[in-house]
Amino acid sequence: MSEQNLVQPINSMRCTAGYKDARYLRENGFSHYGCDYTDLARSNTRLYSLGTGNVLEAGPDVNTGNTIIIRYNNVKVQKSWGRLVAGSVISVVCRMWHLKSISIAKSQMVDKDTTIGFYGNTGGKSFGAHLHIEFDTDLICYAYSPTFRSGTNGGIIRGGTDSSVSPGALISTKTSPPDSQSSFDSNNGYCSRFDWNFVEVK
């Protein structure tokens, strides 16, 4: 398979909480190892796969609600961040939380046009309808999130160490039809420009 650009799972997507945001930590008491997104109008909650991938997990979790984990191979890094270099190609797992419903199953292959579910407000760690996205470079312990303490087990997501990377480094905005995507900041102070101003691809 050739390299792929991961694209927004929501065509008109607004960032509501950023990656490792300092204000989020101060106000909520724990770090945010992903980004939170909604539809700009908060009316179209449909989610698409970010690219071609394999569904590793899909089901309910006590803490994160309806949860999907997808492995994406040969992903082009869009923006340099930390140890990631723009233009390089890596494999990652993507953890998505708080879905209202799931439209795919474990072991299914998906592509960017696959409806994977609808975002919602499920799970004990959700504070309103949104999609939480985490990317991780640990392809073996893919269900382990640094959001939770070691030993935590919600059914799918377990507590683990931090090998996450910023969604802003990997997600792109597909501007050409029929996707015609766009991305926005919620202006609430929780998102940096890096979290939502994605590289545009045709």
Side-chain angles (χ1 to χ4, degrees), residues 140-176:
I140 305 300
C141 299
Y142 52 79
Y144 287 74
S145 170
T147 299
F148 303 101
R149 291 190 303 272
S150 179
T152 301
N153 184 348
I156 293 179
I157 301 298
R158 301 183 178 205
T161 57
D162 184 12
S163 50
S164 64
V165 295
S166 173
L170 300 176
I171 296 175
S172 58
T173 297
K174 192 172 187 300
T175 57
S176 60

Side-chain angles (χ1 to χ4, degrees), residues 98-115:
H98 312 310
L99 279 71
K100 179 179 180 181
S101 62
I102 296 173
S103 304
I104 54 176
K106 185 175 180 177
S107 301
Q108 182 177 337
M109 293 299 297
V110 293
D111 61 34
K112 76 164 191 67
D113 297 316
T114 304
T115 295

Side-chain angles (χ1 to χ4, degrees), residues 3-6 74-78 86-90 169-170:
E3 69 181 41
Q4 62 173 325
N5 296 310
L6 296 186
N74 303 316
V75 173
K76 184 178 179 181
V77 176
Q78 301 297 327
S88 61
V89 177
I90 63 171
L170 300 176

Side-chain angles (χ1 to χ4, degrees), residues 9 40 65 71 76 84 102 155:
L40 180 62
R71 175 172 172 158
K76 184 178 179 181
L84 301 183
I102 296 173

Side-chain angles (χ1 to χ4, degrees), residues 17-21 32-35 81 135 162 164-167 190 195:
Y19 179 76
K20 294 187 177 179
D21 181 78
H32 197 232
Y33 292 95
C35 286
W81 175 88
F135 282 107
D162 184 12
S164 64
V165 295
S166 173
Y190 283 129
D195 296 324

Side-chain angles (χ1 to χ4, degrees), residues 55 57-61 64-69 96 102 104 106 156:
V55 181
E57 297 286 350
D61 182 275
T64 60
N66 291 322
T67 296
I68 294 172
I69 305 176
M96 290 170 276
I102 296 173
I104 54 176
K106 185 175 180 177
I156 293 179

